[in-house]
Amino acid sequence: MKHRFFDFQTLPPLDRYKLLSGSVLPRPIALVTSVDAAGHPNAAPFSFFGVLSHDPPVIALGIENRPDGSRKDTARNIDETGEFTVHIPNVALLRQVEICAAQYSPGVNELDLADLPSVAGQAVGCPRITTAPVALECKLKTKVELGSARQIVIGEVVGLFVRADAVNDRLHIDPRIIDAIGRLGGPAYASTRDQLVTGQ
């Protein structure tokens, strides 16, 4: 098998992004809700996202800054309130995820634009999208500033909602019912409908 080597110390940022986002896949999508200090809601998806630990229960979000270097609403809201909710979207929510991914002016309510029904959070003050099969309510644990391009937000999961028919008494979750989507690159996505089972 023949490979090509790319020296990341010499590549411009956009080329590094294309190679990383095209190599590490499928990437799970975090559809994040947050509120600003005045209580205005925001919803935005992020595919630089993952679970880091179960003890303590910790997830990480990579939030890219805007082209002018300013922070996106999600990052600013988390700074102001210390809270956010991560939803795992399913195939049925794909179009609404893409609506939330567009660039809007601060203060625009993406939940309304995407017609996403929500209720008040239980352990945090962020709205929970009721059509998402999973929601992780998080409190800010720490963050890492990565220069002017991006910050890593580390959140501790303080509560989790999951579709009742997707989890059994042993707390095993059925990925077929969750029907989650993952980012491949550009407009391409994968879903947990496609499974390779080893038999172990």
Side-chain angles (χ1 to χ4, degrees), residues 93-114:
L93 290 174
L94 177 55
R95 179 68 188 124
Q96 290 159 300
V97 167
E98 291 198 315
I99 291 171
C100 292
Q103 296 289 336
Y104 302 105
S105 301
V108 170
N109 185 339
E110 291 85 356
L111 294 171
D112 287 344
L113 284 178

Side-chain angles (χ1 to χ4, degrees), residues 40-110:
H40 300 117
N42 176 265
F46 300 92
S47 64
F48 281 32
F49 155 67
V51 175
L52 300 185
S53 169
H54 73 286
D55 189 16
V58 165
I59 60 94
L61 295 173
I63 304 178
E64 187 176 23
N65 292 332
R66 299 182 189 277
D68 65 2
S70 64
R71 290 177 301 165
K72 291 185 176 177
D73 293 345
T74 300
R76 189 186 65 251
N77 291 350
I78 293 171
D79 280 349
E80 290 179 359
T81 67
E83 299 180 339
F84 59 100
T85 298
V86 169
H87 303 81
I88 305 300
N90 58 10
V91 172
L93 290 174
L94 177 55
R95 179 68 188 124
Q96 290 159 300
V97 167
E98 291 198 315
I99 291 171
C100 292
Q103 296 289 336
Y104 302 105
S105 301
V108 170
N109 185 339
E110 291 85 356

Side-chain angles (χ1 to χ4, degrees), residues 116-134:
L116 286 166
S118 65
V119 296
Q122 183 161 316
V124 298
C126 309
R128 176 173 62 88
I129 298 169
T130 57
T131 49
V134 176

